[in-house]
Every structure is written in C-alpha cells, then in structure tokens.
Amino acid sequence: MHNIVTEDEDKKEEEERIRRALANCGYPKWTIEKVKQQMQNKPKKDTKTKKSDNDPSKGMVVIPYIEGLSEKLQRIFWKHRIATAMKPHNTLKSLLVHPKDRRDPNETCEVVYRVDCKGCDKMYVGETGRAFATRLKEHQKDAEKITGNRNFTRAKRKESLTEQNKSAITDHISQENHVINWEGAKIIDKDSNQYTRKIREAIWIRRGGDKTMNRDIGMYSLDHVYDSLIKHTSHRRNKTTSSRGRCSEPGKHL
C-alpha cells in the first residue's frame, strides 16, 4: 500500500529526501530545480478530453548525464519541443559489478605458437590443444637440462649433433649454445579443430623455411603444390606488415 503525502511539512521532508537521492546519483542542483518548476507549472490533466495536437511537447528522450555536454543536448532537443531526462553516466552497478575478469592470453588453448632465439633468427613453431603457458613450461623444463651446464666446447658441440632431445628447441640450445627468448614467445594462430590446427602449424613451418629450428614439417604432411601460394601470401603479409608498421593479428592468415 502506498501513502500519499498531503501535509506541507511532510511534503518538504519528502522533497529533501528526493533531492539527496538525486544528488547522490550525480544530478546537478539546477536540474532538480527545473523539474520542480515544471511540475508546479504543469496544467492539470483533463481526463474528459483527448490530448490536443497543439501540445508543445513532442515526446521525451533519456540521455546520460555528462557535464557540459548534456546541457547542450537538452537545449537542442528543446528547440524541437522534445523534453529530456538525464540519467547518471556511471551507476553503482557499473562501478561494482564485473561479470568476467580478463583472461591471461597465455592461458589460451588450441593454438599455434612461436618461440624465437635470442642468438640468431631461428624460430620454433608448434601447436597445442592445451593452455599455451603449459606447453611453454614443458619446453623450458626440457631446455633446463642443457642450460644447467653452460660449459660449451667443440667436443660437446660435436657430440650434441648426434644427440636428439625431446624438443627441437633443446637441440638448438645444445648445438648452438644460444639463449631462447621465452618472454617473447607468442600465439600466432588459433583453431579449435585439431586436424585443421595441425595444417596451420605445417603452413607456418613451411612459411618460416630455413629460419625454423623444427626437426620436421609438422604433424601434417603438407603437399609442396601449395608452396607458391604460401610464398605469395607470406610476401603479401610481410608487405602489409611493413607498410602498417605492426604485426598482423593471429589467425588472420593461413
């Protein structure tokens, strides 16, 4: 049941409560006074007659309140006999509620990735259906077996050429005594389908050519009939990247 305020003292108390509530929501004082004035000057409705076609108001629009801008919009709307109501730009809900936290890109699954060498222009291309960070840690753990012993001699290098480690990255470290740019490792493509993701990996390996440290052509045996197409798209991509001064986004090219 709703109570209707009729006493003057109660009206003043209720008006003050409304003023405080609107002020807390970001409404300026002048808008409250203006609405009050409009309410006082508003003629009483005649329930027996229909609304006249000469009604000065053509409707109402609700706009967010932005200091300095909303006032100008209000004046423009009023020139066309359109009333305006303002609402706070920032609400308590928008300030406090965040449905989803931003996800770490390294936790992305089902990707094709690239790991560069700091000592040369070689790179490793791989794919995984698990989180990128998980696969990268596996590479790092395997490489620690070599990096733990930095006594690099001709004899050890010769010996390393006949050995094969779990990862081609570890082979490169063992044979060249280079440092891997783990911090710069990045995702270069995405695909939720395992079969087509392996095709993408093979394309990136083929595109890298002699600059890849991969031991093989990838899990998918890509026919060499596609070499000219891959070379053409790679050249076009490099040209576009150079003209824009930035790298293309992952997953945009095959």
Side-chain angles (χ1 to χ4, degrees):
M1 183 176 178
H2 299 282
N3 295 324
I4 299 175
V5 180
T6 56
E7 299 295 329
D8 291 340
E9 187 176 342
D10 293 338
K11 285 182 180 180
K12 289 180 180 179
E13 185 178 342
E14 186 65 20
E15 181 181 332
E16 188 60 29
R17 185 182 295 109
I18 293 171
R19 283 176 179 274
R20 288 196 302 269
L22 292 173
N24 290 335
C25 289
Y27 287 93
K29 186 178 179 181
W30 65 267
T31 57
I32 302 171
E33 293 295 335
K34 186 171 183 178
V35 171
K36 180 183 175 181
Q37 191 67 32
Q38 289 176 347
M39 292 294 291
Q40 290 175 345
N41 297 335
K42 188 176 180 180
K44 292 182 179 181
K45 284 186 177 181
D46 185 1
T47 55
K48 295 181 181 180
T49 59
K50 292 183 178 180
K51 189 174 181 179
S52 172
D53 293 334
N54 296 324
D55 190 344
S57 176
K58 292 184 180 180
M60 175 178 284
V61 293
V62 179
I63 59 175
Y65 177 73
I66 302 173
E67 188 177 358
L69 178 61
S70 298
E71 293 87 347
K72 293 178 181 179
L73 286 173
Q74 186 181 46
R75 287 194 290 270
I76 293 171
F77 279 122
W78 187 244
K79 286 180 181 179
H80 300 281
R81 315 309 296 172
I82 300 174
T84 56
M86 300 184 189
K87 65 178 182 179
H89 182 62
N90 292 322
T91 63
L92 198 59
K93 181 180 179 181
S94 66
L95 294 173
L96 298 179
V97 178
H98 300 282
K100 290 185 179 179
D101 294 328
R102 288 189 177 181
R103 187 178 180 183
D104 184 353
N106 289 334
E107 295 301 322
T108 305
C109 301
E110 302 171 333
V111 300
V112 179
Y113 59 91
R114 168 178 171 169
V115 183
D116 293 333
C117 176
K118 285 185 177 180
C120 63
D121 61 355
K122 292 279 188 178
M123 65 177 179
Y124 176 83
V125 175
E127 68 84 22
T128 181
R130 296 171 296 159
F132 172 49
T134 301
R135 185 69 185 104
L136 193 62
K137 285 178 182 177
E138 290 177 347
H139 283 302
Q140 289 176 302
K141 188 175 180 180
D142 189 59
E144 284 174 1
K145 296 183 297 183
I146 303 300
T147 56
N149 182 9
R150 302 304 295 175
N151 296 323
F152 190 74
T153 62
R154 287 185 180 180
K156 285 193 174 184
R157 186 180 187 281
K158 188 175 181 180
E159 182 183 343
S160 69
L161 294 174
T162 61
E163 294 178 347
Q164 184 170 299
N165 294 282
K166 187 177 180 180
S167 169
I169 297 177
T170 309
D171 284 344
H172 184 76
I173 297 171
S174 176
Q175 295 166 12
E176 305 296 336
N177 195 31
H178 285 177
V179 177
I180 300 299
N181 184 13
W182 300 113
E183 298 80 8
K186 59 185 178 181
I187 295 169
I188 55 175
D189 225 329
K190 300 178 185 178
D191 200 321
S192 59
N193 184 285
Q194 185 182 22
Y195 178 75
T196 53
R197 188 169 64 248
K198 292 184 184 300
I199 296 176
R200 288 177 182 271
E201 177 196 34
I203 292 172
W204 280 100
I205 293 173
R206 186 71 59 81
R207 179 179 285 161
D210 296 336
K211 290 185 178 181
T212 59
M213 60 179 79
N214 295 67
R215 288 192 292 253
D216 50 43
I217 59 174
M219 295 292 291
Y220 180 84
S221 182
L222 189 68
D223 198 301
H224 285 281
V225 73
Y226 297 107
D227 286 357
S228 59
L229 178 61
I230 293 172
K231 184 178 179 181
H232 174 71
T233 55
S234 179
H235 175 73
R236 187 176 62 182
R237 176 178 175 271
N238 292 335
K239 187 176 180 181
T240 304
T241 302
S242 177
S243 63
R244 291 180 180 177
R246 61 181 178 83
C247 295
S248 299
E249 294 180 11
K252 293 293 184 182
H253 304 278
L254 280 179

